Amino acid sequence: MGEIGRVCVEDSVQDGVDVLSSSDDMASEADHLVVLVHGILGSTANWKFTAEQFVRSLPDKVVVHCSDCNTYMLTLDGIDVMGERLAEEVVEAINRRPGIQKISFVAHSVGGLVARYAIGRLYRLPSRKDQEVCQSYLYEENSRGSICGLEAMNFVTLATPHLGSRGNKQVPFLFGINAIEKVASRIIHLIFRRTGKHLFLTDMDDGKPPLLQRMVVDWGDLYFMSALQIFRRRVAYSNVVHDHIVGWRTSSIRRNSELPEREDSLSEKYPHIVYEELSNGENVDKCTDFAGFTWDHQLLEEKMATALSSLSWEKVDVSFHNSIQRFDAHSVIQVKDFLIHSDGADVIHHMIDHFLT
């Protein structure tokens, strides 16, 4: 256990890192668990700045849990395997703190997909009779349920490829050249193993649709969309430019025609926030088959975008184009290392200032 200013860090090799107020009185009042999930090849160290800022800003409200069940090379095992590990870790974190009543997730990059999988596993129906309800493709905002018995508050992603990485310009460093993108989809598993296959939608396990497609419906005993819709807020922070890993379209859950004009920030407090939008849930035809198998990756992307857009999202566009750190925007938006990614601090403060507690 260590103490940094007013922040207490409880380090457990097996169960992640908990960060909370060093004041016993304030820590005892905190009833809101905030789970931080890092991205590919990441670790709990990536969340040091964010965790400390959360607790300093909301000392009597939150306990921050930095997940470490999928560190470094374990992030290549596949989104499903990582999601199952995360679900188990979250249950353990909840069991350690019986006073917890609420839960939120903040996830970076692939961690956002892992968190979406995990909440599908952790979702609890509101009553026994509801367990007999048939799978539905529409999710009403007022439907009930919980995440492992806790009230679902904020689900926040930072530069997460919600629509996968297969489509044109979804991975900007491939330059939007179709031939290069096609080759990448065929060899990505050699570098990023099962996780790469999931991201590029090339996993066809046992004749099932790709995992990311399955994750826009309730699939079997995994309530992916039912879980996502019970959060009081869903927020997608996206890099407009200079993110060479995750494109603007996939991280903001938009179609090309829906991307706003690029603008400069008008805020002194949040100089890198350039656009904010509340996207209300779209009306979706009840007969739409979001899980229907297709080889057409453009149609697949459209199905995922339509399904996810059936829920309301707060979309926050970020640009570091005037920053000397802009070419590492994918890490700057998380403040992965404050010494070299400090320009993203206003994004983290924006997130915390708007957090529902």
Side-chain angles (χ1 to χ4, degrees):
M1 181 182 293
E3 192 170 313
I4 307 172
R6 293 178 296 150
V7 177
C8 179
V9 179
E10 295 184 355
D11 193 353
S12 171
V13 175
Q14 292 183 333
D15 300 324
V17 176
D18 285 351
V19 183
L20 60 159
S21 173
S22 58
S23 165
D24 290 341
D25 290 339
M26 287 188 175
S28 65
E29 291 180 21
D31 65 351
H32 189 162
L33 181 67
V34 181
V35 181
L36 305 185
V37 189
H38 60 74
I40 204 161
L41 300 177
S43 73
T44 57
N46 302 158
W47 289 117
K48 182 177 185 295
F49 175 79
T50 299
E52 292 174 4
Q53 296 306 305
F54 257 115
V55 174
R56 288 192 171 114
S57 299
L58 305 168
D60 60 339
K61 303 290 186 183
V62 303
V63 172
V64 178
H65 178 78
C66 302
S67 171
D68 77 343
C69 62
N70 293 305
T71 55
Y72 306 117
M73 296 300 289
L74 292 177
T75 60
L76 307 183
D77 291 344
I79 291 165
D80 52 354
V81 172
M82 289 190 285
E84 295 289 353
R85 290 188 194 127
L86 177 60
E88 292 178 4
E89 183 180 2
V90 169
V91 170
E92 292 171 356
I94 293 170
N95 289 340
R96 285 199 303 273
R97 301 187 183 279
I100 293 295
Q101 301 293 322
K102 308 170 186 175
I103 190 166
S104 292
F105 288 80
V106 177
H108 176 245
S109 193
V110 173
L113 300 176
V114 176
R116 277 177 49 200
Y117 186 101
I119 63 173
R121 176 62 72 196
L122 295 170
Y123 177 75
R124 299 292 181 267
L125 289 162
S127 65
R128 183 172 299 178
K129 69 176 183 178
D130 287 325
Q131 296 182 23
E132 299 175 0
V133 174
C134 295
Q135 176 175 317
S136 172
Y137 294 114
L138 283 180
Y139 304 89
E140 300 297 333
E141 291 288 348
N142 63 352
S143 64
R144 304 292 296 275
S146 69
I147 301 299
C148 207
L150 305 181
E151 182 181 1
M153 300 296 288
N154 308 269
F155 190 91
V156 182
T157 61
L158 303 165
T160 287
H162 288 285
L163 306 180
S165 304
R166 178 79 177 268
N168 185 242
K169 297 183 180 179
Q170 298 291 45
V171 181
F173 82 80
L174 298 178
F175 308 110
I177 300 174
N178 288 329
I180 297 177
E181 291 174 340
K182 186 177 292 186
V183 171
S185 68
R186 293 175 178 174
I187 66 171
I188 193 66
H189 66 283
L190 300 176
I191 305 170
F192 293 113
R193 304 196 315 226
R194 289 188 74 245
T195 301
K197 294 182 70 174
H198 288 153
L199 288 172
F200 277 78
L201 312 172
T202 58
D203 58 306
M204 304 291 179
D205 301 333
D206 300 323
K208 298 176 183 176
L211 177 62
L212 295 194
Q213 184 182 4
R214 283 176 266 154
M215 285 171 55
V216 299
V217 298
D218 289 348
W219 186 274
D221 61 348
L222 291 161
Y223 294 89
F224 296 124
M225 287 294 281
S226 290
L228 190 58
Q229 66 86 32
I230 64 170
F231 282 84
R232 291 177 61 184
R233 297 175 68 231
R234 288 164 295 278
V235 191
Y237 285 82
S238 309
N239 281 312
V240 174
V241 291
H242 298 300
D243 189 326
H244 305 297
I245 309 300
V246 177
W248 186 15
R249 192 170 81 247
T250 187
S251 58
S252 64
I253 317 176
R254 293 186 179 109
R255 303 162 182 88
N256 274 327
S257 61
E258 296 170 336
L259 294 173
E261 294 293 326
R262 297 179 183 180
E263 301 176 357
D264 288 329
S265 176
L266 300 177
S267 171
E268 293 184 8
K269 186 175 183 181
Y270 311 117
H272 300 110
I273 304 293
V274 296
Y275 188 79
E276 296 183 65
E277 169 190 4
L278 174 59
S279 176
N280 293 319
E282 299 176 0
N283 291 325
V284 178
D285 189 336
K286 293 182 179 180
C287 297
T288 303
D289 183 8
F290 292 120
F293 185 87
T294 178
W295 289 103
D296 185 337
H297 67 83
Q298 292 180 332
L299 177 58
L300 177 52
E301 182 179 314
E302 174 60 27
K303 285 187 175 188
M304 292 189 293
T306 301
L308 289 171
S309 297
S310 69
L311 305 178
S312 62
W313 288 85
E314 296 171 42
K315 298 179 180 181
V316 184
D317 296 326
V318 177
S319 177
F320 299 106
H321 70 281
N322 290 325
S323 167
I324 61 173
Q325 301 170 3
R326 61 186 178 275
F327 295 111
D328 198 14
H330 190 67
S331 295
V332 176
I333 198 172
Q334 183 196 15
V335 192
K336 189 173 183 178
D337 183 332
F338 186 76
L339 293 178
I340 56 178
H341 302 129
S342 58
D343 281 0
D346 66 306
V347 178
I348 300 303
H349 291 144
H350 180 277
M351 175 181 65
I352 295 172
D353 289 347
H354 292 80
F355 217 70
L356 286 180
T357 58

